[in-house]
Amino acid sequence: MFRKVLVANRGEIAVRAFRAATELGATTVAVFPHEDRGSEHRLKADEAYQIGEVGHPVRAYLDVDEIIRVARESGADAIYPGYGFLSENPLLAEACADAGITFIGPKPDVLHMTGNKATAIAAAKRAGLPTLRSVPPSSDIDELVKGADDIGYPVFVKAVAGGGGRGMRRVEKPEALRENLEAAMREAESAFGDATCFIEEAVVDPRHIEVQVFGDRHGNIIHLGERDCTLQRRFQKVVEVAPAPDLPDDVRAALHEAAVRLLVGRGYRGLATVEFLLDADDPTRWWFIEVNPRLQVEHPVTELVTGVDLVLTQLALATGRTLGDLGLADP
């Protein structure tokens, strides 16, 4: 069991993580840039340390060296990333391993695979999951534009490190592709520190289903059902429903099985969400699109349906407990 948890995040998720850590008997550490000096999460933690430079609050939360510096200074022996910021960045997990600090999330090699949309698609193909046609990732706009012609329009521009709809654009015509690539790359560089993008075939008016998955250190993988997140605005999920309504039982079972199969044998530990698109007219036609190796903003929907505290479970699994120990699978 770790004694002190540093939460490398802010706002609601930081406060939620502090509560979970406290319930497990650990003390808590907050980090904050100058601009967040009056934020609630700073006040809720047992200790709080300022990070970064004045005028660059987002950069502060993305600074791995600063996070590790505070962990060492405070004596934190675990780091929880929450969602956004460094939650999918393998560099933080690697830095934790080098410093002898528990990273509450997947191992670095797994993050390299899942946190990058393009490598996750490659892994899904190897696991036998259906995927959409795509252009390999690149930061060379000319190369991406050339590759898109082979797919046909509409297409999606996606940042490999993207999340929350950032670094993502739908493009209807070839003449609009370059402009949208440039905009997506700028957004991805600012939000994630990585401008690399790829292009993917667009499915017109699909149904969007995501499956919640947990893994422990002993290789056990389970799912906690699915959420329907089809209703979106600007690629941001507006309403989520669980279980997904009017989903044929065989399709539901197939998506659950595919989500588990993707992660079995990969040493996955912690929480993940595996996302799929379904043909609106034929739900038996579906495609894997990405896996989020972290908590998602919409996690309370699954918590309300299952009664499982996902944040508390993340922290408990990081201590070495199994899913069986937590009553989520056979011992």
Side-chain angles (χ1 to χ4, degrees):
M1 179 63 197
F2 36 74
R3 297 173 294 101
K4 184 180 288 189
V5 180
L6 183 152
V7 177
N9 217 300
R10 67 187 299 277
E12 180 272 338
I13 187 54
V15 174
R16 176 73 185 278
F18 295 150
R19 187 186 78 188
T22 299
E23 290 181 10
L24 290 174
T27 55
T28 56
V29 179
V31 291
F32 65 95
H34 173 77
E35 290 76 7
D36 274 351
R37 61 194 180 280
S39 294
E40 183 177 7
H41 81 279
R42 177 191 175 184
L43 305 176
K44 291 289 187 179
D46 295 309
E47 304 173 30
Y49 296 77
Q50 185 168 331
I51 57 173
E53 302 175 5
V54 175
H56 299 284
V58 174
R59 186 186 303 171
Y61 288 111
L62 293 171
D63 192 327
V64 172
D65 291 338
E66 275 288 82
I67 300 299
I68 296 297
R69 174 188 66 80
V70 172
R72 291 181 183 278
E73 183 178 338
S74 65
D77 51 359
I79 293 178
Y80 178 73
Y83 45 69
F85 294 130
L86 293 170
S87 60
E88 298 182 51
N89 192 324
L91 297 181
L92 177 59
E94 290 170 353
C96 285
D98 292 341
I101 297 169
T102 298
F103 177 75
I104 302 176
K107 297 183 295 184
D109 61 325
V110 177
L111 279 175
H112 276 292
M113 183 274 286
T114 58
N116 180 300
K117 286 182 171 61
T119 56
I121 289 172
K125 288 179 179 178
R126 292 193 295 272
L129 275 61
T131 60
L132 296 165
R133 293 178 296 163
S134 62
V135 177
S138 176
S139 55
D140 185 326
I141 292 180
D142 291 332
E143 185 177 332
L144 290 167
V145 169
K146 182 179 179 180
D149 293 335
D150 296 330
I151 295 178
Y153 289 80
V155 298
F156 270 112
V157 173
K158 293 184 176 181
V160 296
R166 289 172 292 181
M168 186 172 176
R169 300 286 191 281
R170 176 168 167 162
V171 183
E172 302 291 338
K173 299 178 180 180
E175 53 268 28
L177 181 57
R178 184 176 296 272
E179 175 186 352
N180 280 277
L181 273 168
E182 292 172 348
M185 286 181 171
R186 287 194 300 270
E187 187 174 34
E189 177 65 35
S190 174
F192 310 107
D194 185 353
T196 307
C197 288
F198 71 104
I199 295 174
E200 186 175 72
E201 172 188 1
V203 180
V204 178
D205 297 326
R207 190 168 181 184
H208 194 157
I209 305 292
E210 54 191 23
V211 179
Q212 190 73 77
V213 179
F214 260 124
D216 64 25
R217 290 174 180 264
H218 302 276
N220 303 305
I221 305 287
I222 64 163
H223 72 82
L224 292 179
E226 79 290 338
R227 300 184 293 261
D228 186 316
C229 52
T230 303
L231 185 57
Q232 301 182 20
R233 180 175 183 268
R234 296 179 180 176
F235 313 122
Q236 295 280 348
K237 297 159 186 175
V238 177
V239 173
E240 298 229 2
V241 181
D246 300 320
L247 188 65
D249 289 341
D250 58 338
V251 175
R252 192 187 313 272
L255 297 180
H256 293 170
E257 187 276 333
V260 171
R261 173 158 41 103
L262 175 63
L263 300 181
V264 164
R266 299 186 183 277
Y268 196 93
R269 67 187 187 207
L271 188 67
T273 300
V274 184
E275 303 198 14
F276 303 93
L277 294 182
L278 280 63
D279 187 294
D281 298 320
D282 181 6
T284 63
R285 295 183 66 227
W286 51 267
W287 304 268
F288 165 87
I289 55 169
E290 66 181 27
V291 54
N292 293 303
R294 54 166 173 82
L295 189 75
Q296 289 192 278
V297 175
E298 55 271 27
H299 67 275
V301 177
T302 293
E303 292 180 323
L304 287 169
V305 171
T306 64
V308 177
D309 186 323
L310 300 188
V311 179
L312 186 67
T313 302
Q314 282 184 289
L315 271 65
L317 289 175
T319 70
R321 299 182 196 179
T322 68
L323 290 164
D325 292 336
L326 302 175
L328 295 176
D330 293 334

